[in-house]
Amino acid sequence: MTEKYLSGRVAVITGSTSGIGLGIARALAGAGAGIMLNGFGEAAAIEALRKEIAGTGVPCAYNGADMSKPADIAGLIEAATRELGKADILVNNAGIQYVAPVGEFPAERWDAIIAINLSAAFHASQAVMAQMRARNWGRIINIASAHGLVASANKSAYVAAKHGIIGLTKVIALETAKTGITCNAICPGWVLTPLVQKQIDDVASRDNISVAKAKDLLVLEKQPSGEFATPEQIGALAAFLCTEHADQIRGASLPVDGGWTAQ
Ligand code: NAD
């Protein structure tokens, strides 16, 4: 898609230094939006990403807000508004994972997952709401998961946070239903990113199998297509949700999961 239908819009994408968030940042930049990057990583690598996106002809800035900290989240929206003029697309994407049965799940991992994967979306949405209402246009896109719709063992905090963000998505969609602001959730299945590579490596060493075999097993266990979804596919859906064709998609949870949640 070469049309710059998001020219003049500004998007804040949390956790966009890697994986799905980066795929979304590239897709929205490709449609012409200015981009505020966020996330952790090595300073030089992040600056290279910022330059790469700015090189496509859109304004691009970076803010290192820690999404577990409400004051940092407010600062992220302030920085986008100050440096790029406004924030009219918010993609709540930053997320972490931890895998253990409830009886052994460290309480501090529970707290961190709820803070980053769920509460951050509330704080960021709250911080952008007034300016979106003032312009009567906005897009809030929450990156939930197939685990927002169904559960898996050993992922209590993640599944709780992802079910929670789908609830938050519906409430924001209802509160903004008569405005030009929409709020929706995208529910990816397996996407091959560093977050998933770690789980593949853990399975390979736990079961003493090759990484390639662990990868196949992990995908086939859940995903009838047998294929990973890609950051580009998630990015393209996020970009579509920012078009006028999506004006009446409100409060939806949209799976991109190779059939996982159809079962
Ligand atoms: P990733 O590990 O590649 O990227 C996560 C991003 O979040 C990185 O930029 C990281 O720096 C950032 N981040 C982590 N903690 C942060 C914090 N405290 N403050 C700011 N940024 C922080 O992971 P990913 O797979 O791209 O995951 C992105 C989102 O997609 C997550 O919400 C994840 O739950 C969701 N998701 C991923 C998959 C998958 O299969 N990869 C499936 C469904 C949903």
Side-chain angles (χ1 to χ4, degrees), residues 14-21 38-41 64-68 92-96 116-117 143-147 158 162 186-196 228:
T14 73
S16 45
T17 52
S18 168
I20 292 172
N38 159 259
F40 298 150
D66 179 342
M67 298 307 289
S68 69
N92 290 307
N93 166 79
I96 57 170
I116 296 164
N117 295 19
I143 305 307
S145 169
H147 281 124
Y158 190 85
K162 295 301 186 179
I186 297 177
C187 300
W190 290 123
V191 182
L192 193 52
T193 66
L195 182 142
V196 166
F228 286 97

Side-chain angles (χ1 to χ4, degrees), residues 36-261:
M36 174 57 88
L37 293 170
N38 159 259
F40 298 150
E42 206 240 308
I46 292 172
E47 177 55 14
L49 284 177
R50 194 200 63 73
K51 277 200 178 127
E52 173 209 307
I53 290 175
T56 67
V58 297
C60 184
Y62 165 75
N63 181 277
D66 179 342
M67 298 307 289
S68 69
K69 298 187 175 144
D72 276 26
I73 298 170
L76 170 65
I77 302 300
E78 278 163 25
T81 309
R82 190 175 58 246
E83 294 169 33
L84 300 170
K86 57 185 178 162
D88 43 17
I89 298 166
L90 168 66
V91 183
N92 290 307
N93 166 79
I96 57 170
Q97 177 61 286
Y98 191 85
V99 180
V102 168
E104 295 157 26
F105 210 93
E108 54 83 18
R109 283 292 88 199
W110 169 277
D111 290 343
I113 289 177
I114 298 299
I116 296 164
N117 295 19
L118 176 58
S119 300
F122 163 77
H123 294 298
S125 301
Q126 186 173 59
V128 290
M129 196 54 80
Q131 56 171 295
M132 285 183 177
R133 284 193 186 278
R135 287 188 293 272
N136 195 32
W137 197 89
R139 293 290 189 260
I140 298 175
I141 301 171
N142 293 324
I143 305 307
S145 169
H147 281 124
L149 302 168
V150 295
S152 294
N154 302 325
K155 295 188 174 176
S156 53
Y158 190 85
V159 169
K162 295 301 186 179
H163 276 66
I165 204 170
I166 286 180
L168 175 66
T169 301
K170 292 175 182 173
V171 172
I172 294 175
L174 292 178
E175 289 181 2
T176 55
K178 292 210 183 316
T179 75
I181 304 164
T182 72
C183 180
N184 292 289
I186 297 177
C187 300
W190 290 123
V191 182
L192 193 52
T193 66
L195 182 142
V196 166
Q197 188 62 51
K198 181 177 180 312
Q199 295 174 65
I200 293 170
D201 295 344
D202 289 349
V203 167
S205 72
R206 186 196 65 200
D207 297 348
N208 198 21
I209 54 177
S210 72
V211 169
K213 175 88 178 149
K215 194 167 151 183
D216 285 349
L217 287 177
L218 209 79
V219 175
L220 278 169
E221 182 199 353
K222 298 289 187 186
Q223 217 145 290
S225 70
E227 305 275 350
F228 286 97
T230 66
E232 291 73 21
Q233 290 165 348
I234 311 293
L237 178 54
F240 173 73
L241 288 172
C242 296
T243 68
E244 64 187 33
H245 303 298
D247 280 354
Q248 292 310 320
I249 302 179
R250 291 171 185 264
S253 303
L254 304 165
V256 184
D257 67 1
W260 177 336
T261 57

